[in-house]
Amino acid sequence: MNSRNLLNLALAAVVFALGTLIWFSQQAPPAPEPERLTTLTEADITRIEIRPARHADAVLEQRGSEWWLVEPFTARADTARVDAAIGLARARSLARYAASAVDAQQAGLASPDLVLRINDVILELGGTEPLHGRRFVRLGDRVHLIVDRYSYLLQGGLASLVSPQLLPTGARLQAIELPGLHLLQRDGHWQLADGEATSADALQALVDEWRHARALRVSRREGDEEGETITLQLAVDVPPIRLILQQDEDETRFIRPDLGLIYHFSPAVAERLLALPPVEGAAGGDTDA
């Protein structure tokens, strides 16, 4: 057999080996996904207790389709924070050990930074391991390692758990009373309370700004702040929402005395909540008929 034939045989053997390897790799079953920390599904979870080291404990509860902060005060909850707690309950366990075999001090579990009670399941979050930065989580008599994308959202102040939306989702406004401007709805149409004619589109745009208003952040109220009053009527059979308006160069604040909360807005966004938008063509001068 000459050298050319030997080379062809060698090449054929290499091709056969590669083909066999590819075939077997395609037949091999995929590696199973790591198990989740808990068997809870999103639909199962109706109560979340948050015990962070940096602020007071908080309790979130599902009421109908919305989540509410119910302790230490009552307010609609921020969905991102609720999703973070649910995400921790459903995180993948990448490794697990008997709790007795783990040095609690080194794992940050001797005094956890964050403890969650989700329904009746308690998760204690410790520190991270140095190699991959995965979080230690103690659940019963086991310690797990997870990729933690969520816990930082739950360790801010209590006000960070509050929804930054000024009004409930789907709120149906009936009247808006602003400094120097009063809108109300009559027979399904928005108009100015003084009867002055104005653009229906401009009125609806202002109403929509309030329906979707979302603060940059929320903080706790301290003291008895003074300012102009804003009144929002959602329905005739419920008390109106009253806000105190404060403005400076850096931000605009809407204070809810009944909740003890301050909603912080940029001046540019707040401007759209406090005045009718300009009507297109109003400043364009006269036009030919």
Side-chain angles (χ1 to χ4, degrees):
M1 182 177 295
N2 59 36
S3 59
R4 178 180 291 276
N5 290 336
L6 287 172
L7 178 60
N8 288 338
L9 283 174
L11 290 173
V14 169
V15 170
F16 177 78
L18 287 173
T20 303
L21 180 62
I22 293 171
W23 185 86
F24 274 111
S25 66
Q26 291 175 340
Q27 304 309 307
E33 286 190 338
E35 294 181 3
R36 297 187 185 274
L37 275 182
T38 76
T39 58
L40 293 170
T41 66
E42 185 173 349
D44 294 330
I45 299 172
T46 58
R47 181 180 171 89
I48 300 168
E49 297 178 34
I50 304 172
R51 304 173 197 164
R54 298 178 181 86
H55 64 74
D57 297 353
V59 178
L60 307 173
E61 286 185 355
Q62 188 174 31
R63 295 179 175 178
S65 61
E66 289 192 313
W67 278 86
W68 285 77
L69 174 67
V70 297
E71 292 181 21
F73 57 90
T74 302
R76 284 178 298 112
D78 182 14
T79 55
R81 270 60 181 179
V82 174
D83 291 344
I86 293 173
L88 284 169
R90 293 182 48 74
R92 300 284 184 182
S93 174
L94 303 179
R96 59 191 64 83
Y97 314 93
S100 59
V102 175
D103 186 322
Q105 191 69 40
Q106 288 190 352
L109 292 167
S111 181
D113 286 340
L114 179 66
V115 178
L116 299 178
R117 186 184 185 98
I118 302 179
N119 289 0
D120 293 321
V121 176
I122 297 177
L123 303 176
E124 298 173 280
L125 277 72
T128 57
E129 50 88 18
L131 188 58
H132 301 291
R134 295 177 294 188
R135 180 81 57 191
F136 288 101
V137 180
R138 183 162 53 206
L139 173 57
D141 61 356
R142 308 289 285 179
V143 171
H144 302 257
L145 282 173
I146 67 167
V147 174
D148 178 11
R149 303 184 180 94
Y150 309 103
S151 66
Y152 77 96
L153 289 170
L154 302 173
Q155 299 192 62
L158 283 168
S160 71
L161 301 174
V162 176
S163 171
Q165 286 184 244
L166 266 179
L167 300 180
T169 302
R172 299 178 66 86
L173 282 161
Q174 301 297 316
I176 302 173
E177 189 170 354
L178 306 171
L181 188 63
H182 187 185
L183 289 70
L184 50 82
Q185 193 172 179
R186 288 178 180 160
D187 302 324
H189 300 284
W190 283 96
Q191 55 188 273
L192 295 177
D194 60 10
E196 182 180 347
T198 191
S199 163
D201 289 343
L203 291 170
Q204 188 61 56
L206 180 59
V207 172
D208 289 342
E209 289 288 348
W210 277 100
R211 287 180 54 239
H212 301 295
R214 188 178 182 89
L216 291 171
R217 64 186 180 92
V218 183
S219 65
R220 296 298 301 275
R221 178 193 184 199
E222 297 179 1
D224 297 322
E225 295 86 352
E226 296 182 353
E228 297 180 284
T229 300
I230 293 172
T231 303
L232 307 172
Q233 185 70 55
L234 298 186
V236 294
D237 57 345
V238 299
I241 295 174
R242 301 194 186 280
L243 305 172
I244 297 172
L245 171 65
Q246 292 184 340
Q247 296 176 283
D248 56 41
E249 291 183 359
D250 298 324
E251 67 173 8
T252 298
R253 296 173 293 281
F254 296 100
I255 303 168
R256 279 199 63 168
D258 58 328
L259 299 180
L261 296 172
I262 303 174
Y263 294 80
H264 300 256
F265 284 79
S266 70
V269 173
E271 185 179 355
R272 300 200 299 268
L273 295 167
L274 298 172
L276 290 170
V279 179
E280 290 186 13
D286 296 334
T287 57
D288 295 334

